[in-house]
Amino acid sequence: MRSIRVETSGATVLLTEAPEPKVKDRQTGEIAKDAQSGETLMRLGVVYIDGGESSLLQVTVPESGVTEGLALGAPVTLIGLIARPWDTVFNGQQRHGIAFRAEAIAPAAISVGAGA
């Protein structure tokens, strides 16, 4: 399925859920791994604010892309963020959504406006 690059340069992104290993199978507790590298995938939550609107997003990042110094509520930068539409049938019901994945997450540099 097609991936869509998400432009984040004009947005404010705040960390709302600390990175934790992404669970692939809730019944067995199996942790999700990247299909190509075999690296553990991490799941985290952010609020994405742009144009006066906000959205809560769950984002998947490889473990090596999680930078030190992240703090809940603090601004972060999502490097290489993409959105990928998905759909599936679960228990006979059609489900669909958008999965978000980034190459890395790092604390954002806080810029001070000219009027400050």
Side-chain angles (χ1 to χ4, degrees):
M1 203 164 269
R2 181 168 165 80
S3 295
I4 303 162
R5 181 168 286 295
V6 179
E7 178 57 51
T8 61
S9 62
T12 299
V13 183
L14 304 173
L15 185 65
T16 59
E17 293 178 37
E20 61 184 38
K22 182 176 181 177
V23 177
K24 179 178 180 178
D25 184 333
R26 291 182 186 164
Q27 291 181 340
T28 66
E30 180 183 0
I31 301 300
K33 304 281 185 182
D34 183 89
Q36 294 181 343
S37 70
E39 185 175 1
T40 298
L41 295 175
M42 305 297 282
R43 181 184 133 299
L44 54 99
V46 299
V47 62
Y48 181 92
I49 306 166
D50 190 21
E53 296 187 18
S54 64
S55 298
L56 293 171
L57 306 179
Q58 294 291 314
V59 181
T60 300
V61 178
E63 188 171 30
S64 64
V66 177
T67 307
E68 294 291 324
L70 299 174
L72 289 178
V76 293
T77 299
L78 292 169
I79 301 158
L81 182 63
I82 61 167
R84 180 174 293 141
W86 60 268
D87 62 44
T88 189
V89 176
F90 183 75
N91 287 337
Q93 293 183 327
Q94 184 74 27
R95 298 184 56 138
H96 61 277
I98 300 173
F100 293 91
R101 182 158 175 170
E103 296 169 13
I105 181 171
I110 299 174
S111 60
V112 177

